[in-house]
Amino acid sequence: MKRILNNARLILADGVVERGALEIDNGVIAAIHSRPLSAPPPHSEDLDGDDLLPGLVEVHTDNLEKHLMPRNGVLWPTLPAVVTHDAQCVAAGITTVLDALSVGDLEGDSVRLDTLQSAFEAIDAGMRQRVFRAEHLFHLRCELAYPQLLDALSPLIGHPAVRLVSLMDHTPGQRQYRDLAQYKKYYAKKNVSWNDDTFLAAVEQRKLKQRQYAGRHRQAVVELARARGVALASHDDTELSHIDEAVRDGVAMSEFPTTLAAARAARDQGLMTVMGAPNIVRGGSHSGNVAALELAGHGLLDILSSDYVPASLLHAAYLLGRQPGWNLSRAVATVTRNPARAVGLADRGAVAVGQRADLIQARERDGIPLVRQVWSAGQRVF
C-alpha cells in the first residue's frame, strides 16, 4: 500500500530537507520530495515539521539481561522478557537490533550462563512467530577465557540470523580492566564476600584460565566466523598490539576501545570504531576509559551502541550532532547507516530511495529527542 509522510524535516545522509515529504510503496522508500505534497488523508500523514530519520540499528545491546533477571536471583519467563525488551527498543526508535548474547562468562554464577540457550531459543521462536516489532538478529559475544566456550558456541553460530561475533577477554589486569582497583570496585558488587585475599585469588585464577584457553579459543572462533561469513569485532582494545591482532584476524570493527591510541590505530588499519551512547549522554566512561566525545573530536568515532540503555542511542546522536565538526546527518549515520553496513545490511539505514522504510518521527524538547512514531518496513510499530 502506498502512503505519504508529509511536512517533515527529512534527515538525509548528505543534509537536511527542512520541509519535505516521503513516499512509501510496499515497505520501501519510493520517492523523496523537497517540499510538502498536496495529498489528502488517509494515505497521507502530516508530521507537523517533526524530524523524520532512519530507524536505528543497534549492533551491541545486552539490555535483554535486565528483563531476564529483573531482580537479583529472580529469573523471568524468557519469551515474555524478550517481548518486553523488543518493545523498549522500538519505543527508543531501534528498528534493527542485534541482541548481544554472552557465550561464556568469567563469573561462576552468572545469569548469562543460565539463560544463553533459553534466550537464543526464545528470540528464534519470536522471529518465526512474528511477535516482535523490531527485526532481531544475533551478536554472539565470545568470552575467550571461558573453558566451555566452543561447546556453547558451536550449536549457535550456524543460525542464519547470526550477524556479528565479538572476541572478548575480560581477564583482570588488561583491556577494560587494566586498572585492578576499577575491576575490584565493579565486581565486588557481585561478589560481596570478597576480601583482599579472595579478590587476589580470583584474579590469579582468571589469569590462569586466560593462559590456558584464550589463545586457542580465539583462533577457533575466528575460523568459525570466517567459514560462515559472519562479521568479527574486537572488544576493549587498549594496546596497539590488540589492533594488530584484530587486523590479523580479519576483524571489521573495534568495539569500545579504551584508549585514544588504540582508536587511532584502528582507524589507520581500516577498522570501524564503536563507542557507547551512554558514554556520550553521561559525559564519559563509567570505567574511566577514553570518552566517546574525545574520539568524536578527533574524527575517530564511526558507530554508537546503546549498550545497556536503549533510549541513549537517539539521544546521543542528537548530542553528537551539536559537536564541533559534526552535524545531525553525520551523527545520525553513526546509529543507522554505519552500523547497518558494518554487519552487511545494505537495505536499511538511510532515508533514500530504495531503502527499507524503517523510520522514526522525532521532536526535540529541551534538547532531548522524543520518539513520536516508528515504522518498520513501512508499517507503524510504535
Side-chain angles (χ1 to χ4, degrees):
M1 182 182 72
K2 292 185 179 181
R3 65 186 307 164
I4 296 170
L5 300 179
N6 217 353
N7 190 26
R9 182 174 181 246
L10 306 179
I11 312 302
L12 308 182
D14 56 356
V16 173
V17 174
E18 289 298 335
R19 291 277 177 168
L22 203 67
E23 292 186 56
I24 300 171
D25 188 5
N26 198 30
V28 173
I29 298 171
I32 297 172
H33 302 273
S34 59
R35 55 178 53 89
L37 299 178
S38 298
H43 300 308
S44 175
E45 183 175 356
D46 190 330
L47 300 192
D48 195 27
D50 285 352
D51 290 350
L52 189 63
L53 59 149
L56 308 184
V57 179
E58 171 55 66
V59 295
H60 179 128
T61 176
D62 52 19
N63 178 64
L64 175 58
E65 292 178 1
K66 293 182 290 188
H67 298 289
L68 291 170
M69 185 178 282
R71 178 173 290 179
N72 191 33
V74 176
L75 288 179
W76 204 252
T78 311
L79 186 55
V82 180
V83 169
T84 304
H85 158 65
D86 170 73
Q88 190 174 8
C89 287
V90 168
I94 298 169
T95 52
T96 302
V97 52
L98 272 66
D99 292 309
L101 302 181
S102 292
V103 187
D105 198 344
L106 299 186
E107 295 293 307
D109 183 17
S110 166
V111 64
R112 293 173 170 176
L113 299 179
D114 293 341
T115 61
L116 171 62
Q117 191 64 39
S118 62
F120 192 95
E121 291 172 355
I123 294 167
D124 178 60
M127 293 174 187
R128 289 184 284 101
Q129 297 168 17
R130 300 181 181 274
V131 300
F132 300 141
R133 290 184 274 182
E135 180 172 1
H136 287 253
L137 301 165
F138 291 113
H139 170 177
L140 301 179
R141 307 172 64 202
C142 297
E143 189 64 62
L144 298 178
Y146 176 59
Q148 289 79 43
L149 171 62
L150 299 182
D151 290 340
L153 178 64
S154 295
L156 308 180
I157 195 169
H159 194 289
V162 173
R163 284 282 178 167
L164 182 62
V165 166
S166 56
L167 304 165
M168 301 194 307
D169 187 345
H170 288 106
T171 304
Q174 47 93 64
R175 293 186 182 261
Q176 181 180 356
Y177 295 120
R178 62 193 186 280
D179 183 343
L180 284 180
Q182 283 281 352
Y183 183 80
K184 184 177 182 180
K185 179 180 177 182
Y186 182 77
Y187 277 96
K189 300 173 187 176
K190 301 181 180 182
N191 300 274
V192 293
S193 62
W194 269 359
N195 56 37
D196 288 345
D197 290 338
T198 54
F199 168 70
L200 291 175
V203 167
E204 289 308 311
Q205 182 186 53
R206 291 172 190 193
K207 287 183 176 180
L208 175 61
K209 286 184 178 179
Q210 182 197 46
R211 293 193 293 271
Q212 289 176 320
Y213 298 105
R216 54 191 169 103
H217 281 176
R218 184 182 185 100
Q219 181 178 355
V221 171
V222 167
E223 290 174 358
L224 285 169
R226 282 178 179 169
R228 290 159 178 80
V230 176
L232 279 164
S234 57
H235 196 73
D236 297 332
D237 294 317
T238 302
E239 310 290 343
L240 300 187
S241 60
H242 295 157
I243 300 298
D244 291 339
E245 186 178 37
V247 171
R248 287 195 301 270
D249 290 338
V251 163
M253 64 185 86
S254 173
E255 288 190 317
F256 316 124
T258 67
T259 63
L260 177 60
R264 279 187 170 139
R267 171 57 55 81
D268 290 343
Q269 296 285 2
L271 276 64
M272 300 187 84
T273 299
V274 184
M275 291 295 281
N279 187 309
I280 289 182
V281 174
R282 296 180 66 254
S285 165
H286 73 276
S287 301
N289 298 318
V290 68
L293 285 179
E294 182 178 353
L295 296 191
H298 289 281
L300 300 174
L301 175 60
D302 300 301
I303 296 170
L304 286 173
S305 161
S306 70
D307 202 1
Y308 54 94
V309 184
S312 69
L313 201 56
L314 188 62
H315 189 183
Y318 274 72
L319 291 172
L320 181 60
R322 292 195 280 270
Q323 297 302 306
W326 287 76
N327 57 46
L328 189 55
S329 291
R330 182 184 176 192
V332 164
T334 68
V335 296
T336 56
R337 185 179 69 250
N338 294 354
R341 301 301 178 265
V343 296
L345 299 171
D347 64 340
R348 69 199 70 187
V351 176
V353 173
Q355 291 277 283
R356 266 177 59 129
D358 292 354
L359 300 161
I360 309 168
Q361 177 188 355
R363 175 177 293 182
E364 276 196 274
R365 284 287 182 269
D366 298 324
I368 300 172
L370 305 177
V371 176
R372 304 190 71 192
Q373 294 191 87
V374 179
W375 296 265
S376 176
Q379 298 297 311
R380 184 179 173 187
V381 292
F382 177 79

